[in-house]
Amino acid sequence: MDVAISTLLSPIILFFALGMGAALLRSQMSVPEAFAKGLALYLMMAIGLKGGVEMSKNPLTVEVMLVLLAGVVLSFIVPAISYFFLRVTTKLDQTNAAATAAHYGSISIVTFVAATEAVRMSGLDSSGHMVAVAALMETPAIVTALFLANRGAKRETPVAGSERGELIREVALNASIVVLVGALIIGWIAGEEGTARVEPFFVGLFQGVLCLFLLDMGLSAGRGLRQGWRELSAATIGFGLYMPLVSAALAAIVVMMLGMDTGDGALLITLAASASYIAVPAAMRLALPKAKPSIYLTLSLGVTFPFNVTLGIPIYIYLAGLMSGAGG
Amino acid sequence: MDVAISTLLSPIILFFALGMGAALLRSQMSVPEAFAKGLALYLMMAIGLKGGVEMSKNPLTVEVMLVLLAGVVLSFIVPAISYFFLRVTTKLDQTNAAATAAHYGSISIVTFVAATEAVRMSGLDSSGHMVAVAALMETPAIVTALFLANRGAKRETPVAGSERGELIREVALNASIVVLVGALIIGWIAGEEGTARVEPFFVGLFQGVLCLFLLDMGLSAGRGLRQGWRELSAATIGFGLYMPLVSAALAAIVVMMLGMDTGDGALLITLAASASYIAVPAAMRLALPKAKPSIYLTLSLGVTFPFNVTLGIPIYIYLAGLMSGAGG
Amino acid sequence: MDVAISTLLSPIILFFALGMGAALLRSQMSVPEAFAKGLALYLMMAIGLKGGVEMSKNPLTVEVMLVLLAGVVLSFIVPAISYFFLRVTTKLDQTNAAATAAHYGSISIVTFVAATEAVRMSGLDSSGHMVAVAALMETPAIVTALFLANRGAKRETPVAGSERGELIREVALNASIVVLVGALIIGWIAGEEGTARVEPFFVGLFQGVLCLFLLDMGLSAGRGLRQGWRELSAATIGFGLYMPLVSAALAAIVVMMLGMDTGDGALLITLAASASYIAVPAAMRLALPKAKPSIYLTLSLGVTFPFNVTLGIPIYIYLAGLMSGAGG
Amino acid sequence: MYQRKRIELIIEKMAHKRAGRIFESCGMTGYTVLPALAGYGGGNRWSRDTDISASRDMVVIISIGDVARVTETMTQLEDLLGEHIGVVTVSDVEVLRPDRF
Amino acid sequence: MYQRKRIELIIEKMAHKRAGRIFESCGMTGYTVLPALAGYGGGNRWSRDTDISASRDMVVIISIGDVARVTETMTQLEDLLGEHIGVVTVSDVEVLRPDRF
Amino acid sequence: MYQRKRIELIIEKMAHKRAGRIFESCGMTGYTVLPALAGYGGGNRWSRDTDISASRDMVVIISIGDVARVTETMTQLEDLLGEHIGVVTVSDVEVLRPDRF
Ligand SMILES: Nc1ncnc2c1ncn2[C@@H]1O[C@H](COP(=O)(O)O)[C@@H](O)[C@H]1O
Ligand SMILES: Nc1ncnc2c1ncn2[C@@H]1O[C@H](COP(=O)(O)O)[C@@H](O)[C@H]1O
Ligand SMILES: Nc1ncnc2c1ncn2[C@@H]1O[C@H](COP(=O)(O)O)[C@@H](O)[C@H]1O
Ligand code: NA
Ligand code: NA
Ligand code: NA
């Protein structure tokens, strides 16, 4: 519980709260899009490099491969479960339910980072390859969601102006995957020594940049909530709160089955429980333009993200502790 | 005097001079708005955090409260004096005089930061709560100025499209107040230990980012001067040079009355003497759209700001030394 | 050769390769223009300051003056040679050949920085005044190129809307010259002690920011190549590969004649061999708007830049070693 | 194709929410706000990247609607522009889906 | 001066390449894409700087062409806009150099 | 409402000051410059965020004025556009306050 409290009072979470508060009080302040996008690039480069450097220290084992595979499988399955819950408990139509489901199957890299911090603050360790797991879990959910959205009625001809493969390119080569995986490989190749000279930038500043970025996320989340909550029924909001726990439970089983240790387990659970708010919304504009951002974004960024970074992560660490105890 | 010279030759001031020189020579270079706005956010977060951490070390005393109150009172009064001088000595009409007066009652956070540096370089100390004073002094001036601008003739119906409370929201919750006060509180809560991990970003980089920001301020000030000086009479330019001294004198009395020590006193005097160039211009576009930015901005950014960061601050430190000697 | 390999595997080059790869695979990722422009400003300030601080440690000698002069002369001459090769070996018309020639006479500051790193990694030293050489070499090439472009037919009246001196102002006071020279002078004035407080920003972060910037350069280079290569004949692409070597040979003679030491020599050779991709393209839009960016930019950024930072620099260091051995 | 009207309003960025509220209250079905980079008016030039206060930034608001609503909107914009600087124009356009406006 | 048509298409930023391909395949000689800052439609407001996902960003595409090509382009845009949100208008303009369009 | 003309000039960003000087010298009372994000012309695409040189950036300049001044401006723009790339169109618009233009 101590960890929970010190997490909640860390500057990172406090700046998120500041942004959210400012937005709810209708402050007009904003972080320019170009600047925020630059910071997001920085964060992904830093995470990737760090993971790669750590991976360069250990050989790639079968256990690691299994964790990567498990992440992919989770990302394929979670949207199906999400879609089921959404269709049964809310009034969302097929398209909106599928689009929302894609968000919950994919991951939030900032939630992942926050969990990494919390894991560290709990005195636990985590491994570099979890970054690779995060990158791999971004995309599969979109495949499942598109399948769900397009069951039954479908256009037979592609929409005017669309190009074969544009969606795959957009999704599989989006900025966050390219930068995460690219930086991971660079960190792996360059190793600790090779990256020493970029450490002051990528390691030293990381926490501070994260504060600035979370201020912006708080503003976005708060504004989304303030403008979008009217479109969300109680059942939909409820989904944003219990779905992370459902995914977490599923991931917890995986953690136990694979005998992962607590730190990595907590990260895998967090990834499963987190919902995308950058890569998937962008992909949905191309793949399911009729789905409403005011539903899926408000839910993912306004409801699930705040839940995860405050209450969720401590729960997931606790859960991972139980599971790794049980499994090992 | 040594301090004055080493202040003048510090990279911060030299980069300001570089920007101003480049603009006056009509170089086309510029700092992209989105980037400059991001840097401004960073600077305010850094100042707020630092102030908050320092405040967390000492209890809030009655003396501190009195300084906060004095700042507010100064911000209310200075615009009235400014307005009087403008109306008597220049040909500015009611609206332009009021809008300009608002700038001089409010504060410039960069001038404040430059003064903090100069105070430190003089071997003096300053307190964290001076950041709170700065935040509190931003707004009251606007109230006085609007009162002055709207005396006599006034629209009875609000302008089409305006919303009750929009101006208050804009002014009281503008980015600089939200971030300064928010970061101050975060620094206070998190304390030295809690902010240790963000220190490399918020403390280590501060001076350097300030250089980059002042390069941009120099460019803005120089361009403003080059384009706007024709609109300014000698009397108006004169106002931009003597008004800081008038405010400083007023603040100096407060410093003596409250028995403030030299460092804090110099900062309070600097705040009174400084003029806003971001928050108040924005508010004026909403509240007094007929007032001309080419007058108030040129004066505040092109005349008073350069005066303050070069000659003004050494004078204010000297003055504070006299006053705290006199008072204590 | 070891140096060559460790240069190729440094994070800086790997991030360039990542960007180039992503662009060639048609990833949609991008670095926002405002952010990239901000980083470029940072890099130039950092380079200038570093050079200035180093220059402040040594007196300005005649040898230094001669190197400055040699740089200017090289920048005047290289475009003429480039133009000759382009007209003889490719089908480019007068305007496009002249515009392209201007790029090869001018310099690439990022190539310069990469060379500085490689020089350092080879255990060699380089001097601060080489930054001044870089700044001085930016412009003269444009003069030669305009002369070449305007031989024969010429408008007698200036184009509508143009202003006397606008081109000179644009070229001689472009951002990179103003900031490089300005920061150099500031570093010189402030010295090691005066710049100590901005060191964490300008020195500590330099390598990391460079990684981010080179990721963007890779994206630009890759996209340029993918879109522009159809406009380039084999002969034109060939020019982009052999011209750097021709310029390098010319500069090598200078290095020998002036008896420069290996480190500085390698930098002068690199400057001569490098081609501009920011300052000159901008100037060409004003001076020779009919010339095609898809030719000169693709060549300079897509062909010559990658060649230089991978194979070129090790060659130039080796060449400088030969020459300084021969000369001294 | 169907006849509609297009309003183009050039106004201070700080005032664009006021304008937006007018469009919304007059029943216009939508509008789009474009940032301006620089401009000239009343003998003065401004530029976004060279004014750190950003207080001179302007935006252009485009809104498509039917004649009745556009007329109503123009009346209220006239009042707004009495206070604020800026320029408004109306022009004829053809649209594809008339029910959207 | 010569009569031409001006298409103005307001569309999601994510879909602008699709629109661009339509303009290109219908023989329009060029188009220019402007970023939007904020907007309102279907009862919802969006703003570039307050939505970290950037998924609601819109752009405005302007393209000048002759009647025949514009008509052809509009047909295909109708199909695109059946899927995507957005608004398209056509208006009359005069140009200087008729051979460019 | 009063009849005026609207000039829309799409031109290289680097050349926009030249265009601005023409508008000013021909007596146009104002103009507004909008940044473009991307575009296509002469078989080539460009995009602001993927060209580090920024040398292909374009802007759109909008200016409202009366017929006489617009005609005068167009003559000079023709000369400018002989050198520079870009496109200019003129269209009819209605304005509220005729004395402003
Ligand atoms: N005739 C015009 N055409 C286009 N934009 C204009 C015009 N007049 C003014 N503007 C814009 O409105 C701003 C303020 O103009 P003014 O109210 O004349 O100071 C200018 O900076 C321009 O951006
Ligand atoms: N017909 C057009 N409609 C709109 N914009 C155009 C048109 N033609 C050219 N442009 C713009 O002008 C730029 C240069 O075009 P060009 O001179 O054809 O190379 C393009 O990249 C577009 O941004
Ligand atoms: N009538 C309109 N005029 C101008 N822009 C519009 C209009 N309707 C919609 N838009 C733009 O298109 C976006 C999506 O609108 P909608 O499809 O109604 O949700 C809005 O946010 C606006 O940016
Ligand atoms: Na998930
Ligand atoms: Na003041
Ligand atoms: Na060169």
Side-chain angles (χ1 to χ4, degrees):
Chain A
M1 276 307 95
D2 252 21
V3 174
I5 286 164
S6 71
T7 306
L8 282 176
L9 295 185
S10 81
I12 293 171
I13 302 304
L14 292 175
F15 273 110
F16 178 75
L18 175 62
M20 200 140 173
L24 292 176
L25 290 170
R26 302 183 60 188
S27 162
Q28 303 295 312
M29 77 163 286
S30 68
V31 179
E33 189 189 25
F35 194 74
K37 221 175 142 191
L39 296 184
L41 275 179
Y42 163 85
L43 291 174
M44 290 181 300
M45 285 171 84
I47 299 164
L49 274 178
K50 185 154 163 272
V53 169
E54 275 167 44
M55 282 180 78
S56 73
K57 296 181 195 159
N58 304 304
L60 256 191
T61 60
V62 179
E63 281 78 34
V64 171
M65 295 306 218
L66 282 177
V67 176
L68 293 173
L69 183 70
V72 173
V73 172
L74 279 171
S75 178
F76 270 118
I77 293 175
V78 168
I81 303 175
S82 303
Y83 182 78
F84 172 79
F85 278 115
L86 284 167
R87 294 290 277 167
V88 171
T89 66
T90 74
K91 295 208 184 85
L92 295 191
D93 62 16
Q94 188 175 350
T95 308
N96 279 305
T100 306
H103 289 71
Y104 283 83
S106 182
I107 59 112
S108 149
I109 203 75
V110 174
T111 313
F112 174 78
V113 168
T116 314
E117 285 302 300
V119 161
R120 195 189 44 74
M121 281 164 69
S122 317
L124 300 166
D125 276 334
S126 60
S127 322
H129 63 257
M130 292 309 293
V131 176
V133 178
L136 284 177
M137 288 178 75
E138 280 213 8
T139 313
I142 296 174
V143 178
T144 307
L146 293 190
F147 171 79
L148 294 167
N150 295 327
R151 275 183 325 153
K154 223 196 119 170
R155 276 179 78 106
E156 45 312 349
T157 55
V159 67
S162 64
E163 200 181 51
R164 235 186 120 71
E166 64 178 346
L167 183 64
I168 292 160
R169 217 160 49 227
E170 192 64 53
V171 162
L173 292 176
N174 74 46
S176 89
I177 293 182
V178 167
V179 175
L180 274 181
V181 174
L184 193 86
I185 294 173
I186 291 173
W188 200 348
I189 296 176
E192 194 137 47
E193 207 189 330
T195 55
R197 283 175 65 83
V198 299
E199 230 194 77
F201 184 61
F202 286 116
V203 178
L205 306 188
F206 189 76
Q207 306 288 325
V209 174
L210 203 55
C211 286
L212 197 34
F213 193 72
L214 274 165
L215 175 67
D216 191 25
M217 285 199 62
L219 287 166
S220 284
R223 282 215 186 86
L225 257 193
R226 197 165 54 70
Q227 283 167 12
W229 71 270
R230 262 160 292 127
E231 299 223 27
L232 300 186
S233 65
T236 316
I237 294 179
F239 172 86
L241 297 172
Y242 68 70
M243 189 62 218
L245 297 172
V246 173
S247 308
L250 204 68
I253 298 173
V254 172
V255 168
M256 197 181 66
M257 279 168 42
L258 297 184
M260 295 172 71
D261 60 26
T262 311
D264 288 359
L267 294 187
L268 185 70
I269 295 176
T270 303
L271 285 172
S274 72
S276 173
Y277 54 80
I278 294 186
V280 176
M284 288 304 116
R285 299 311 285 173
L286 218 50
L288 301 175
K290 296 288 184 207
K292 291 189 185 173
S294 49
I295 294 173
Y296 53 67
L297 252 188
T298 310
L299 213 49
S300 146
L301 188 57
V303 178
T304 301
F305 180 78
F307 171 77
N308 273 337
V309 287
T310 53
L311 302 181
I313 291 174
I315 298 178
Y316 308 146
I317 296 179
Y318 179 74
L319 201 60
L322 290 184
M323 290 301 122
S324 57
Chain B
M1 275 307 93
D2 251 22
V3 173
I5 286 165
S6 71
T7 306
L8 282 177
L9 295 184
S10 82
I12 293 171
I13 302 304
L14 292 173
F15 273 110
F16 177 74
L18 174 61
M20 199 139 174
L24 292 175
L25 289 170
R26 301 184 60 188
S27 161
Q28 304 295 312
M29 76 162 288
S30 67
V31 179
E33 188 189 25
F35 194 73
K37 219 176 144 190
L39 297 185
L41 274 179
Y42 163 86
L43 291 175
M44 291 182 300
M45 284 171 83
I47 299 164
L49 273 177
K50 186 155 162 273
V53 169
E54 275 167 45
M55 281 181 77
S56 73
K57 295 182 197 158
N58 303 305
L60 256 191
T61 59
V62 179
E63 280 78 34
V64 171
M65 296 307 219
L66 282 177
V67 176
L68 293 173
L69 183 69
V72 173
V73 171
L74 279 172
S75 178
F76 270 117
I77 293 174
V78 169
I81 303 174
S82 303
Y83 183 79
F84 172 79
F85 278 114
L86 284 168
R87 293 289 277 168
V88 169
T89 66
T90 75
K91 296 211 184 81
L92 296 190
D93 62 17
Q94 187 174 351
T95 308
N96 279 305
T100 307
H103 289 71
Y104 284 82
S106 183
I107 59 113
S108 149
I109 203 74
V110 174
T111 313
F112 173 78
V113 168
T116 315
E117 285 303 300
V119 161
R120 194 188 45 73
M121 281 163 69
S122 316
L124 300 166
D125 275 334
S126 61
S127 323
H129 63 257
M130 292 310 294
V131 176
V133 177
L136 285 177
M137 287 177 75
E138 281 214 7
T139 313
I142 297 175
V143 178
T144 307
L146 292 190
F147 171 78
L148 294 167
N150 295 328
R151 275 183 325 153
K154 225 197 117 169
R155 276 179 78 105
E156 47 308 354
T157 55
V159 66
S162 65
E163 201 182 49
R164 233 187 122 71
E166 65 177 346
L167 183 64
I168 292 160
R169 215 159 51 226
E170 192 65 53
V171 162
L173 292 177
N174 75 45
S176 89
I177 292 182
V178 167
V179 175
L180 274 182
V181 174
L184 193 87
I185 295 173
I186 292 173
W188 200 347
I189 296 177
E192 194 136 47
E193 208 190 330
T195 56
R197 284 173 65 84
V198 299
E199 229 194 77
F201 184 62
F202 287 115
V203 178
L205 308 188
F206 189 75
Q207 306 289 324
V209 174
L210 202 56
C211 287
L212 196 35
F213 193 73
L214 274 165
L215 175 66
D216 191 26
M217 286 198 63
L219 287 166
S220 285
R223 282 215 185 86
L225 257 193
R226 199 165 54 69
Q227 284 168 13
W229 72 269
R230 262 161 291 128
E231 298 223 27
L232 300 186
S233 64
T236 316
I237 295 179
F239 172 86
L241 297 171
Y242 67 72
M243 189 63 219
L245 297 173
V246 173
S247 308
L250 204 67
I253 298 174
V254 172
V255 169
M256 197 183 66
M257 278 167 44
L258 297 185
M260 295 172 71
D261 60 26
T262 311
D264 289 358
L267 294 187
L268 185 70
I269 295 176
T270 303
L271 285 172
S274 72
S276 173
Y277 54 80
I278 295 186
V280 176
M284 288 303 115
R285 298 312 284 172
L286 219 50
L288 300 175
K290 295 288 183 205
K292 290 189 186 174
S294 50
I295 294 173
Y296 53 69
L297 253 187
T298 310
L299 212 50
S300 144
L301 188 56
V303 178
T304 301
F305 180 79
F307 171 77
N308 273 337
V309 287
T310 53
L311 302 181
I313 291 174
I315 298 179
Y316 307 146
I317 295 179
Y318 179 75
L319 201 59
L322 288 185
M323 289 302 124
S324 55
Chain C
M1 275 307 93
D2 252 22
V3 173
I5 285 166
S6 71
T7 306
L8 282 176
L9 295 183
S10 81
I12 293 171
I13 302 305
L14 291 174
F15 273 110
F16 178 75
L18 174 61
M20 198 138 175
L24 291 175
L25 290 170
R26 302 182 61 188
S27 162
Q28 304 296 313
M29 77 162 287
S30 68
V31 179
E33 189 189 25
F35 194 73
K37 220 176 143 191
L39 297 184
L41 274 179
Y42 163 86
L43 291 174
M44 291 182 300
M45 285 171 84
I47 299 164
L49 273 178
K50 186 154 162 275
V53 169
E54 275 168 43
M55 282 180 77
S56 73
K57 296 182 197 159
N58 303 303
L60 256 191
T61 60
V62 179
E63 281 78 33
V64 171
M65 295 307 218
L66 281 176
V67 176
L68 293 174
L69 184 69
V72 172
V73 172
L74 278 172
S75 178
F76 270 117
I77 294 175
V78 168
I81 304 175
S82 303
Y83 182 79
F84 172 80
F85 279 115
L86 284 167
R87 294 290 277 168
V88 170
T89 67
T90 74
K91 297 209 184 82
L92 296 191
D93 63 17
Q94 186 175 352
T95 308
N96 279 305
T100 306
H103 290 71
Y104 284 82
S106 183
I107 59 113
S108 149
I109 204 76
V110 174
T111 313
F112 174 78
V113 168
T116 314
E117 285 302 299
V119 161
R120 196 188 43 75
M121 282 163 68
S122 316
L124 300 166
D125 275 334
S126 61
S127 323
H129 64 257
M130 291 310 293
V131 176
V133 177
L136 283 177
M137 288 178 76
E138 280 214 9
T139 312
I142 296 174
V143 178
T144 308
L146 292 189
F147 170 79
L148 294 167
N150 295 327
R151 275 183 324 153
K154 225 196 118 172
R155 278 180 76 104
E156 47 307 352
T157 55
V159 66
S162 64
E163 201 182 50
R164 234 185 122 72
E166 64 177 347
L167 184 64
I168 292 160
R169 215 160 50 226
E170 192 65 53
V171 162
L173 292 176
N174 74 45
S176 88
I177 292 182
V178 166
V179 175
L180 274 181
V181 174
L184 194 86
I185 295 173
I186 292 174
W188 201 347
I189 296 177
E192 195 137 46
E193 208 190 329
T195 56
R197 285 175 64 86
V198 299
E199 230 194 79
F201 184 61
F202 287 115
V203 178
L205 307 188
F206 189 76
Q207 306 288 322
V209 173
L210 203 55
C211 285
L212 196 35
F213 193 73
L214 274 165
L215 176 66
D216 191 26
M217 286 199 62
L219 287 166
S220 284
R223 280 212 188 89
L225 256 192
R226 198 165 55 69
Q227 285 167 10
W229 71 270
R230 261 161 291 128
E231 298 222 28
L232 300 186
S233 65
T236 316
I237 294 179
F239 172 85
L241 297 171
Y242 67 71
M243 190 60 218
L245 297 173
V246 172
S247 309
L250 204 68
I253 298 174
V254 171
V255 169
M256 198 183 66
M257 279 168 43
L258 296 185
M260 295 173 69
D261 61 26
T262 311
D264 288 358
L267 294 188
L268 185 70
I269 296 176
T270 303
L271 285 172
S274 73
S276 172
Y277 53 81
I278 294 186
V280 176
M284 288 304 115
R285 298 313 283 173
L286 218 50
L288 300 175
K290 295 288 184 204
K292 290 189 185 174
S294 50
I295 294 173
Y296 53 68
L297 252 188
T298 310
L299 213 50
S300 145
L301 188 57
V303 178
T304 302
F305 181 79
F307 171 78
N308 273 336
V309 287
T310 53
L311 301 181
I313 290 175
I315 298 179
Y316 307 146
I317 295 179
Y318 179 74
L319 201 60
L322 289 185
M323 289 302 122
S324 57
Chain D
M1 306 264 285
Y2 306 81
Q3 293 290 330
R4 290 291 179 278
K5 292 279 181 187
R6 172 182 185 272
I7 302 182
E8 182 174 86
L9 169 64
I10 306 177
I11 196 169
E12 300 105 299
K13 189 175 177 187
M14 284 298 295
H16 90 262
K17 298 208 169 165
R18 288 189 176 166
R21 285 185 213 113
I22 292 180
F23 286 103
E24 293 175 30
S25 73
C26 294
M28 300 292 286
T29 54
Y31 56 81
T32 302
V33 186
L34 310 183
L37 191 64
Y40 166 81
N44 282 304
R45 293 190 199 146
W46 67 270
S47 163
R48 186 166 76 178
D49 283 336
T50 61
D51 172 6
I52 211 167
S53 80
S55 66
R56 271 177 288 195
D57 285 15
M58 305 286 289
V59 296
V60 178
I61 310 186
I62 297 169
S63 183
I64 319 295
D66 61 17
V67 185
R69 285 177 201 155
V70 165
T71 311
E72 162 73 9
T73 307
M74 289 303 280
T75 319
Q76 294 211 24
L77 284 179
E78 185 151 27
D79 183 57
L80 181 68
L81 288 177
E83 288 286 304
H84 286 277
I85 62 176
V87 170
V88 65
T89 60
V90 175
S91 61
D92 291 313
V93 293
E94 287 175 299
V95 300
L96 285 178
R97 293 173 291 171
D99 48 296
R100 284 213 47 176
F101 308 98
Chain E
M1 307 264 287
Y2 306 81
Q3 293 291 330
R4 289 291 179 277
K5 292 279 181 186
R6 173 184 186 270
I7 303 183
E8 181 174 87
L9 169 65
I10 305 176
I11 196 168
E12 299 105 299
K13 188 174 179 188
M14 284 298 295
H16 90 262
K17 298 207 170 166
R18 288 188 177 167
R21 284 184 213 112
I22 293 180
F23 285 102
E24 294 174 31
S25 72
C26 294
M28 300 291 287
T29 53
Y31 55 80
T32 301
V33 186
L34 311 183
L37 191 66
Y40 165 81
N44 282 303
R45 292 189 200 148
W46 67 271
S47 163
R48 188 167 75 180
D49 283 336
T50 60
D51 172 6
I52 211 167
S53 80
S55 66
R56 270 176 288 196
D57 284 15
M58 307 285 289
V59 296
V60 178
I61 311 186
I62 297 169
S63 184
I64 320 295
D66 62 17
V67 184
R69 285 178 199 154
V70 165
T71 312
E72 162 73 9
T73 308
M74 289 303 281
T75 319
Q76 293 210 27
L77 283 180
E78 184 150 26
D79 184 56
L80 181 69
L81 287 177
E83 288 286 305
H84 286 277
I85 60 177
V87 170
V88 65
T89 59
V90 175
S91 61
D92 291 313
V93 292
E94 286 175 298
V95 300
L96 284 178
R97 293 172 292 170
D99 47 296
R100 283 213 48 177
F101 308 97
Chain F
M1 306 264 287
Y2 307 81
Q3 293 291 330
R4 289 292 178 276
K5 292 279 181 186
R6 172 182 185 271
I7 302 182
E8 181 174 86
L9 169 64
I10 306 177
I11 196 167
E12 300 104 300
K13 188 175 177 186
M14 283 298 295
H16 90 263
K17 299 208 170 166
R18 287 189 177 167
R21 284 184 215 113
I22 293 181
F23 287 101
E24 294 174 30
S25 72
C26 294
M28 300 292 286
T29 53
Y31 55 81
T32 301
V33 186
L34 310 183
L37 190 66
Y40 166 81
N44 281 305
R45 293 189 199 147
W46 67 270
S47 163
R48 188 167 76 179
D49 283 335
T50 60
D51 172 6
I52 211 167
S53 81
S55 66
R56 270 177 287 196
D57 285 14
M58 305 286 288
V59 296
V60 178
I61 310 186
I62 297 169
S63 184
I64 320 296
D66 62 18
V67 184
R69 286 177 199 156
V70 165
T71 312
E72 162 72 9
T73 307
M74 289 303 280
T75 319
Q76 294 212 24
L77 284 178
E78 185 151 26
D79 183 57
L80 181 68
L81 288 177
E83 288 286 304
H84 286 277
I85 61 179
V87 170
V88 64
T89 59
V90 175
S91 61
D92 291 314
V93 293
E94 287 175 298
V95 300
L96 285 179
R97 292 174 291 171
D99 47 297
R100 284 213 46 177
F101 309 98

